Amino acid sequence: MSSISIDRSQSVGGTRTYEVRTYGCQMNVHDSERLSGLLEDAGYVRAPEGADGDADVVVFNTCAVRENADNKLYGNLGHLAPKKASRPGMQIAVGGCLAQKDRDTIVKRAPWVDVVFGTHNIGKLPVLLERARVQEEAQVEIAESLEAFPSTLPTRRESAYAAWVSISVGCNNTCTFCIVPALRGKEKDRRPGDILAEVEALVAEGVSEITLLGQNVNAYGSDMGDREAFSKLLRACGQIEGLERVRFTSPHPRDFTDDVIAAMAEAPNVMPQLHMPLQSGSDPVLKAMRRSYRQERYLGIIEKVRAAIPHAAITTDIIVGFPGETEEDFEQTLHVVREARFAQAFTFQYSKRPGTPAAEMEGQIPKAVVQERYERLVALQEEISWEENKKQVGRTLELMVAEGEGRKDGATHRLSGRAPDNRLVHFTKPDQEVRPGDVVTVEITYAAPHHLLAEGAVLDVRRTRAGDAWEKRSTAEQAKPAGVLLGLPKIGVPEPQPAVASGCGCD
């Protein structure tokens, strides 16, 4: 990357610390793992959890799809200004979608920022930090096209047993509410051989679950002229020994074809779970959004998935209050929710994304109307989620034990895990040791709208290579000097959908 060496003379004990703050979707979470890996490769160590800016380098990996994203960033930068003034050698870097969008504006509004970099050149961060230190002036470098796939860069994965694998970047869609294509660029596919080589390497390290990641993941292959490339990739993942669970996010209804459904049903390790963004159930609104499917097409996909995979849990994204949405349009969305019976829906009140066509459309809906519709939608989906979860009572399920997903586990003497369909299950802690990444078999005894309980004794515990990897990593972390790495932070753990919402709601 560069022959420039990192000067740590201003660091306590000769080691510089870093903190990465992540906003937005799974793409940003994955990028942040790479930013952490790059910094550690350059000799930095992660600051203790909760450092709140008390690090030698603070990196903001930003999101631009929310109306007030810039205000949030500049507020956080303002909070760090006095800390930087009192801490010689401290540096602040801003990357991600907002950096790609605003470029020089960031340094003008916050002149104490040292580095601004975009979505296409995250690999340059260590060099830009060093250049800013040597030249004593801010470095702004925004690449217009991708320099390297995120997955080819060094990484500090936040989970020992689960991992993101990027198969494509960018998006060829032109949804009127979404600014992502302008910031992430046109879709660029990664070679299948490179993807599978990374998956095999992760499995060799102990990873047992991977999530294939793309802005429009099932459009994979359009860059290579192969419309069945994604289903072929799923089937190839199904042949990798030791890989127990495969998930993907987020697909687009336009590109969801029968061969993908067949691959999901037939590949033994592709999980019975699908996150399929709806956005609206109204054909006129879908047209205004520039979504290239209509209600009938969407419900047809759901019907085919359920026929091929009866126990599949289907989740979605929905935007309420898009410009021009009438009460009749909203009723069509409620109709689709009733018909599709989603296990869970990530619901968003429409907010203007600066730079998008929808922000300039006529017929912006009053906040009070949007709020009232939103509450009706949430109430309906809560009812359906609970009814669908009640169907799980009495079933015997294999759970992959999770880390940090049960906030009350300590008080209730429970552990938490994910079922194959990604439902969250809290289960009674068994007498024998169980580690994140291990697999337990339980019987579901109770259902709530957003989780399940297995209150009886655990039926079986299977220790796994993933659990071994977690134990090895945990032991190594604890052996490091105090104040360097205190456990694994929760942000960035690649919890499959729906544990991590699609964030931007733009899929």
Side-chain angles (χ1 to χ4, degrees):
M1 187 184 299
S2 172
S3 60
I4 296 176
S5 61
I6 302 295
D7 179 5
R8 305 181 185 88
S9 60
Q10 296 174 323
S11 305
V12 178
T15 304
R16 288 174 64 80
T17 59
Y18 75 90
E19 175 188 353
V20 179
R21 300 186 186 183
T22 309
Y23 306 91
C25 65
Q26 301 98 328
M27 300 295 289
N28 270 17
V29 173
H30 184 52
D31 285 350
S32 287
E33 289 188 330
R34 303 301 165 173
L35 292 170
S36 296
L38 286 159
L39 291 170
E40 293 191 7
D41 202 46
Y44 295 82
V45 296
R46 174 168 284 181
E49 189 173 356
D52 192 27
D54 290 325
D56 295 298
V57 172
V58 179
V59 182
F60 291 88
N61 191 9
T62 64
C63 172
V65 300
R66 293 297 178 207
E67 188 174 12
N68 296 317
D70 55 345
N71 292 335
K72 186 171 186 178
L73 171 65
Y74 294 117
N76 287 325
L77 291 175
H79 176 71
L80 287 186
K83 290 190 177 185
K84 186 169 192 267
S86 63
R87 182 172 184 148
M90 180 181 177
Q91 291 182 295
I92 299 173
V94 179
C97 288
L98 194 61
Q100 188 81 22
K101 173 177 171 286
D102 286 358
R103 307 183 181 221
D104 296 325
T105 305
I106 293 173
V107 174
K108 290 178 182 177
R109 292 186 59 175
W112 53 93
V113 169
D114 299 275
V115 170
V116 179
F117 62 101
T119 59
H120 299 310
N121 62 329
I122 64 175
K124 289 290 187 63
L125 177 60
V127 171
L128 294 172
L129 287 168
E130 183 65 4
R131 193 183 298 163
R133 187 193 66 80
V134 171
Q135 298 182 7
E136 297 184 343
E137 65 179 10
Q139 302 296 307
V140 179
E141 187 169 308
I142 307 292
E144 296 301 329
S145 59
L146 186 69
E147 294 185 349
F149 271 97
S151 293
T152 65
L153 300 171
T155 183
R156 186 198 193 280
R157 288 188 294 107
E158 303 300 346
S159 171
Y161 55 89
W164 303 111
V165 175
S166 177
I167 71 170
S168 65
V169 295
C171 181
N172 292 339
N173 294 320
T174 58
C175 301
T176 55
F177 55 80
C178 182
I179 199 169
V180 167
L183 305 179
R184 293 269 180 184
K186 292 292 185 181
E187 181 177 324
K188 185 173 178 60
D189 294 331
R190 195 173 169 203
R191 291 177 55 188
D194 293 340
I195 296 169
L196 294 172
E198 182 184 356
V199 173
E200 290 172 347
L202 288 167
V203 172
E205 293 174 9
V207 168
S208 59
E209 176 175 316
I210 59 122
T211 301
L212 302 175
L213 187 62
Q215 208 74 52
N216 184 9
V217 70
N218 62 322
Y220 178 75
S222 62
D223 193 34
M224 301 178 290
D226 184 355
R227 288 183 55 83
E228 296 189 353
F230 185 62
S231 62
K232 292 175 183 175
L233 183 62
L234 290 177
R235 292 182 183 279
C237 287
Q239 302 301 311
I240 297 177
E241 186 176 355
L243 179 60
E244 296 196 19
R245 296 187 172 191
V246 177
R247 305 185 192 274
F248 56 89
T249 192
S250 288
H252 192 292
R254 182 196 66 185
D255 302 300
F256 208 84
T257 49
D258 291 349
D259 60 297
V260 173
I261 297 173
M264 290 179 64
E266 296 165 14
N269 55 5
V270 176
M271 293 294 95
Q273 174 238 335
L274 174 65
H275 185 76
M276 178 72 78
L278 169 66
Q279 308 305 6
S280 175
S282 161
D283 287 355
V285 172
L286 288 170
K287 182 178 180 181
M289 288 178 167
R290 246 182 252 154
R291 302 286 287 180
S292 47
Y293 57 89
R294 298 296 179 259
Q295 181 189 117
E296 184 178 4
R297 157 75 172 156
Y298 186 93
L299 288 174
I301 293 171
I302 302 300
E303 184 178 356
K304 289 181 179 179
V305 170
R306 294 207 190 282
I309 315 167
H311 289 300
I314 301 175
T315 58
T316 196
D317 295 333
I318 300 173
I319 297 173
V320 179
F322 188 81
E325 180 188 77
T326 65
E327 178 62 24
E328 183 180 354
D329 292 326
F330 179 66
E331 286 292 341
Q332 288 301 305
T333 295
L334 297 181
H335 169 71
V336 174
V337 170
R338 293 187 187 98
E339 290 293 311
R341 299 197 64 80
F342 300 113
Q344 189 172 354
F346 298 98
T347 51
F348 305 87
Q349 295 188 35
Y350 173 78
S351 62
K352 292 182 179 180
R353 275 77 160 177
T356 63
E360 306 301 323
M361 285 183 176
E362 296 181 357
Q364 301 288 329
I365 311 297
K367 169 66 176 175
V369 175
V370 176
Q371 181 68 34
E372 189 271 339
R373 290 177 183 170
Y374 176 80
E375 291 173 1
R376 284 158 56 198
L377 173 61
V378 169
L380 174 61
Q381 182 56 51
E382 286 275 304
E383 178 184 333
I384 292 172
S385 294
W386 199 358
E387 290 173 354
E388 291 301 305
N389 274 0
K390 287 176 182 177
K391 295 177 182 177
Q392 305 298 310
V393 174
R395 292 189 67 196
T396 299
L397 300 176
E398 275 198 339
L399 312 179
M400 182 174 290
V401 181
E403 181 177 36
E405 289 205 65
R407 290 175 294 177
K408 299 179 181 178
D409 282 352
T412 57
H413 303 289
R414 294 183 180 126
L415 297 175
S416 298
R418 290 278 170 179
D421 66 8
N422 204 39
R423 283 183 166 93
L424 177 64
V425 182
H426 305 301
F427 62 94
T428 302
K429 188 174 182 179
D431 293 334
Q432 66 190 102
E433 180 189 21
V434 179
R435 308 160 300 177
D438 285 342
V439 175
V440 299
T441 304
V442 301
E443 181 179 335
I444 303 303
T445 58
Y446 175 81
H450 301 292
H451 69 267
L452 302 172
L453 290 183
E455 299 165 298
V458 169
L459 302 178
D460 183 61
V461 175
R462 176 163 60 87
R463 292 172 70 86
T464 65
R465 291 172 61 254
D468 294 341
W470 179 90
E471 186 173 4
K472 179 179 178 182
R473 176 165 170 168
S474 181
T475 301
E477 297 291 341
Q478 293 171 8
K480 290 187 178 183
V484 175
L485 290 174
L486 304 180
L488 300 179
K490 293 187 179 69
I491 187 168
V493 176
E495 302 162 355
Q497 290 285 357
V500 177
S502 65
C504 59
C506 56
D507 303 292

